[in-house]
Amino acid sequence: MLTRNFLLLVFLGAIAVCAPPPEKLEVDWNKVQLTSKTTPTLQVVVNPPLRRGSPIHDRAFSELQHLAANYVRYVPWLPYPKLAVAELEPPANGKTSWEFGLIDPMMEDFMTATQGHSVIVNFSTTPAWMWQTPKLTQYPNDPDQVNWDYTQGTQLRDPSGKELGDYYARLVSWYVNGGFTDEYGNRHDSGHHYKIDYWEVLNEVDFEHNMTPEQYTLCYDAIVAAIKRVAPSMKFVGLALAMPGNNPQMFEHFLNPKNHQPGIPIDLISYHFYASPAGDESPEVQQYTFFDQADGFFSTVRYVEEIRRRLAPTAGTDVDEIGSIAANDNDKESPERTAQRLPDSYWSLSGATYAYVFGNLAELGIDIAGESQLVGYPTQFPSVTMLNWNTGAPNARFRVLQLLKDNFGPGDKIVKTSSGSPYVYALGFIGHSGEHKLLLVNKRDRDIDLALPEPAKTIQLVDQTTKEAPPATQQAGTPNIQLHGYEVAVVTMP
C-alpha cells in the first residue's frame, strides 16, 4: 500500500511538473496603434416574431431598448412581402395599393426602442411589379408565410430608375414628413415625423435581382436623388453586398465618383460576413472553420478598404451583417433536431466569432460592426438569432454584443497587444477616461490559462456557463487567469 501511494504521488507530481505554463500576455499601454472608430451594434430584420401579439414581442423590443446601441440597422426584407413592401400592386385606373397597416406597427416599435440613438433604415425589397418578369410575381396572402421567390427579374420596367426612386421618396416621406402624395395626386397622411439618420439603398444586390455594378449604381443614384428631395439631411449607405470578396468590380465602379450623377453622396458603404460550416461538420469541428473564415474575411476587408481610400476617402464603412449561418438552416425540422443542430455551445462559438471580428475590424479602422440579427427562428435562419425565439431571452450572441457595447467604442485608443497564444485573441484599449481594458477571446472549446502583466481589477465575461444571463463579473487577485471554452472577456487593468 505504501509503495502504491508513493507511486501515485510521484505520478501526480510529474503531471504538475509537465503542465504547460500559462500563456504570457503582453501589452504596451504606451504604444498607441490607432484611435478606434468602431461602434458595435446589430441589425433588426422584420419577421413575424416581432409583430405585436407575438409571445416574444415585448421582451424583444425591451431588450433592444435597454441595449441602447447606435447605428442599429432595421430591414424589412423579402421573405415577408406584406411586411416589407408598401405598394404591392402597380397603380392603375386612378387607384394605388399603398398600405402601411402591417408595416407601421413594427417600424413604430423599432423607432420607439431606439429613440435617442442613430438608426440605419433599409426597406430593401422593391415592389416586384417594377421588374420585367414573364408574369406578375405572386405573394402569399398570409403576411407570416415565408416566400423566398418574391424578388424576380433582372431588368426594371422603367430603365431610368425614376419609378423606383419615386417609390422610395414616398416611402421615406411617409415616415419623416407625415405623409406623401401618390401617383394620382391623392394625399396619404401618416402623422410620422421620425428622425432617420441613414437610409441604406437595397440589400445583397449580388443575390437579389443579380445586379451588375452599372445597374446598382443607376438604382442607387435614382433612389438617393429622389429621397434627397423629400429629406435633404438624410445620409446614405450603399452596396450591402453579401459576398464582398467575389466582385471587386462592384467596389471599383460604385466608389468611382465619375460613375455617379452630380451631387449624389456616398456616406457609408456596407457589406456582410457570415461564417458557414459544411453540412458534415460536427459542433466540435466548427470552431476551426469559423475563425479561419473570419481571417479570410479580414483579407477582403483590407482590399476593399484600399479601393475605398483611393476612390471615396470620405466614405465610411459599415460591416452591417456579422454572424454565422449553420448548414441546412432553413430546412423544416423538429424542434429536437434544431436543438441538436444548434447546441448551447454554438451560441457561445458564434458570439466569440463576433467579438473576434469586432476586434479585428477596430484594428482595420472600420466604422461600424453590426451583429446579425435580433431575432431569427426556424424556417428563417434560426442560427443567426440573438434572442431565444420561444422566450425572447438573450442568448450568448446578444450578451457578447452587450459586453462589447458597454466597454468599447469610437475614440478608444488601441495599443500594441499580444496574447502569447494563437488560440486567444487579445486587444488592449485605453478608454475615454484613461481606463485600461483588454478584450480577450478564446477561439477554442477548451480552457486556456493566461498570465497577465499584473493582477486585473475586474473581469467581465460571457462563456458557456453564463448562458442567457448578463455578463458575469469576477474579481481577480492574481495575474493568472483561465479562459473557458469560447469565452469572451473584458479585463479591466489597474
Side-chain angles (χ1 to χ4, degrees):
M1 179 64 71
L2 289 175
T3 301
R4 181 182 299 172
N5 289 343
F6 174 76
L7 291 174
L8 178 61
L9 289 173
V10 170
F11 176 72
L12 293 175
I15 291 177
V17 170
C18 295
E23 304 288 356
K24 186 177 180 182
L25 185 145
E26 296 180 351
V27 56
D28 188 344
W29 300 108
N30 295 314
K31 193 163 186 177
V32 175
Q33 307 283 63
L34 75 160
T35 298
S36 175
K37 299 190 298 180
T38 309
T39 298
T41 186
L42 77 162
Q43 74 159 345
V44 178
V45 175
V46 162
N47 51 35
L50 291 175
R51 295 184 66 191
R52 293 175 184 173
S54 157
I56 71 168
H57 168 277
D58 293 353
R59 178 76 185 268
F61 281 104
S62 175
E63 295 292 349
L64 178 64
Q65 184 173 29
H66 287 117
L67 183 65
N70 285 314
Y71 301 110
V72 180
R73 183 184 190 230
Y74 181 73
V75 188
W77 188 46
L78 71 88
Y80 308 100
K82 283 197 168 184
L83 304 179
V85 179
E87 192 178 22
L88 284 165
E89 303 292 338
N93 302 318
K95 295 182 179 180
T96 65
S97 62
W98 287 98
E99 177 56 58
F100 290 87
L102 294 171
I103 297 172
D104 268 5
M106 267 186 284
M107 180 68 168
E108 293 167 2
D109 294 341
F110 171 79
M111 295 304 292
T112 298
T114 57
Q115 187 172 3
H117 300 276
S118 52
V119 296
I120 299 171
V121 173
N122 183 352
F123 276 72
S124 63
T125 305
T126 59
W129 52 265
M130 291 187 179
W131 296 85
Q132 297 180 31
T133 55
K135 58 182 180 180
L136 195 63
T137 303
Q138 301 299 309
Y139 53 87
N141 188 52
D142 180 357
D144 294 348
Q145 182 178 334
V146 172
N147 174 24
W148 295 107
D149 299 319
Y150 184 74
T151 52
Q152 300 295 312
T154 60
Q155 301 292 327
L156 288 168
R157 75 175 195 173
D158 170 18
S160 73
K162 182 180 184 304
E163 184 175 62
L164 181 64
D166 290 346
Y167 168 80
Y168 278 102
R170 292 186 175 101
L171 179 60
V172 169
S173 195
W174 176 264
Y175 286 115
V176 305
N177 293 332
F180 62 86
T181 300
D182 70 18
E183 293 90 332
Y184 292 111
N186 300 309
R187 178 69 183 175
H188 300 254
D189 292 315
S190 68
H192 298 311
H193 294 276
Y194 292 124
K195 181 182 183 296
I196 297 175
D197 305 272
Y198 290 83
W199 194 273
E200 187 176 42
V201 178
L202 309 181
N203 180 65
E204 296 191 343
V205 295
D206 40 350
F207 289 166
E208 297 174 27
H209 299 293
N210 194 28
M211 290 189 187
T212 66
E214 293 77 12
Q215 284 177 311
Y216 177 72
T217 301
L218 182 147
C219 291
Y220 178 90
D221 285 9
I223 292 170
V224 169
I227 291 177
K228 282 187 72 65
R229 287 194 289 270
V230 301
S233 62
M234 186 78 74
K235 295 183 178 181
F236 297 92
V237 187
L239 293 179
L241 296 181
M243 305 294 288
N246 287 1
N247 194 351
Q249 185 57 31
M250 187 69 84
F251 294 101
E252 288 282 355
H253 185 88
F254 178 78
L255 287 171
N256 191 333
K258 295 179 181 179
N259 296 322
H260 290 271
Q261 296 297 316
I264 298 297
I266 303 173
D267 299 296
L268 287 167
I269 61 168
S270 59
Y271 48 91
H272 306 157
F273 167 72
Y274 290 94
S276 300
D280 62 350
E281 289 187 29
S282 66
E284 295 76 20
V285 173
Q286 291 176 13
Q287 58 191 300
Y288 308 104
T289 297
F290 281 32
F291 292 102
D292 283 352
Q293 289 182 355
D295 288 336
F297 173 67
F298 304 145
S299 296
T300 297
V301 174
R302 291 184 184 94
Y303 92 70
V304 171
E305 284 299 287
E306 285 300 315
I307 297 172
R308 182 196 61 79
R309 280 190 286 265
R310 172 166 49 86
L311 294 174
T314 62
T317 299
D318 176 6
V319 181
D320 54 12
E321 292 188 31
I322 302 169
S324 55
I325 298 177
N328 308 313
D329 208 32
N330 283 344
D331 289 357
K332 291 183 179 180
E333 59 188 7
S334 67
E336 292 77 18
R337 171 57 184 154
T338 302
Q340 181 184 23
R341 196 168 52 83
L342 303 174
D344 287 346
S345 62
Y346 168 82
W347 308 111
S348 295
L349 169 59
S350 186
T353 303
Y354 172 70
Y356 181 61
V357 173
F358 163 79
N360 278 273
L361 293 183
E363 291 187 86
L364 291 169
I366 301 303
D367 297 272
I368 303 169
E371 192 172 16
S372 175
Q373 63 191 45
L374 184 66
V375 175
Y377 70 106
T379 73
Q380 215 276 314
F381 295 106
S383 65
V384 304
T385 194
M386 300 169 67
L387 302 180
N388 184 308
W389 55 78
N390 293 314
T391 67
N395 61 28
R397 301 187 71 238
F398 186 98
R399 294 306 188 188
V400 166
L401 173 60
Q402 179 184 356
L403 179 67
L404 298 177
K405 182 263 170 188
D406 288 346
N407 284 280
F408 307 117
D412 292 345
K413 308 294 184 183
I414 295 176
V415 300
K416 184 178 181 181
T417 317
S418 171
S419 72
S421 168
Y423 311 118
V424 174
Y425 174 76
L427 191 61
F429 293 82
I430 301 176
H432 292 271
S433 59
E435 67 275 16
H436 292 179
K437 294 184 178 182
L438 291 166
L439 169 61
L440 303 178
V441 181
N442 185 350
K443 300 192 290 181
R444 294 293 180 258
D445 191 13
R446 63 174 183 268
D447 294 344
I448 297 179
D449 294 320
L450 285 181
L452 303 177
E454 56 185 322
K457 292 172 65 176
T458 59
I459 301 173
Q460 302 168 70
L461 64 96
V462 175
D463 66 10
Q464 295 179 63
T465 68
T466 56
K467 296 186 181 295
E468 295 180 344
T473 300
Q474 298 176 350
Q475 303 300 317
T478 170
N480 291 347
I481 65 171
Q482 186 175 78
L483 297 179
H484 298 305
Y486 304 146
E487 180 175 329
V488 178
V490 175
V491 179
T492 301
M493 301 297 289

